């Protein structure tokens, strides 16, 4: 059966209020490209977006879980703007 995944950028609303628009535009572009790359790799169908959330459908639960795990790793490895990483909640935790 089909498995649905909804993504969300944690605490993005306060970040949009705190950071300059050009910084959050860069964050959004990087986030969206990373999510879409993983979605394509695992055969997802993007059936919608809402703000910074993606609505994705996968053919199997396994592909959805593999996507989610890889997306988390890929997001940790992104070259985020220094302004974002200066915020305590946005620093990578290992």
């Amino acid at each position: 059966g089909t498995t649905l995944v909804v993504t969300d950028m944690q605490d993005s609303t306060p970040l949009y209020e705190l950071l300059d628009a050009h910084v959050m535009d860069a964050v959004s572009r990087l986030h969206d490209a990373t999510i879409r790359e993983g979605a394509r790799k695992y055969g997802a169908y993007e059936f919608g977006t809402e703000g910074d959330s993606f609505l994705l459908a996968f053919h199997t639960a396994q592909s959805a879980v593999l996507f989610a795990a890889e997306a988390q790793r890929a997001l940790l490895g992104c070259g985020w703007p220094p302004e974002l990483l200066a915020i305590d909640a946005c620093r990578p935790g290992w």
Side-chain angles (χ1 to χ4, degrees):
T2 301
T3 301
L4 304 179
V5 172
V6 179
T7 70
D8 185 55
M9 192 185 313
Q10 182 176 333
D11 297 329
S12 62
T13 301
L15 291 175
Y16 276 99
E17 295 169 1
L18 183 64
L19 295 170
D20 289 338
H22 76 278
V23 173
M24 285 308 293
D25 287 346
V27 167
S28 292
R29 282 192 305 275
L30 190 53
H31 169 267
D32 293 358
T34 303
I35 295 297
R36 286 189 170 117
E37 180 180 333
R40 276 191 303 276
K41 179 177 179 178
Y42 290 99
Y45 171 71
E46 181 183 324
F47 65 92
T49 58
E50 180 66 34
D52 56 41
S53 295
F54 283 82
L55 309 169
L56 305 169
F58 293 84
H59 292 286
T60 66
Q62 180 181 12
S63 61
V65 169
L66 291 171
F67 157 78
E70 186 167 315
Q72 289 297 306
R73 284 190 299 273
L75 289 167
L76 278 172
C78 285
W80 300 109
E83 298 91 339
L84 180 73
L85 296 177
I87 298 169
D88 286 339
C90 298
R91 288 193 190 108
W94 308 106

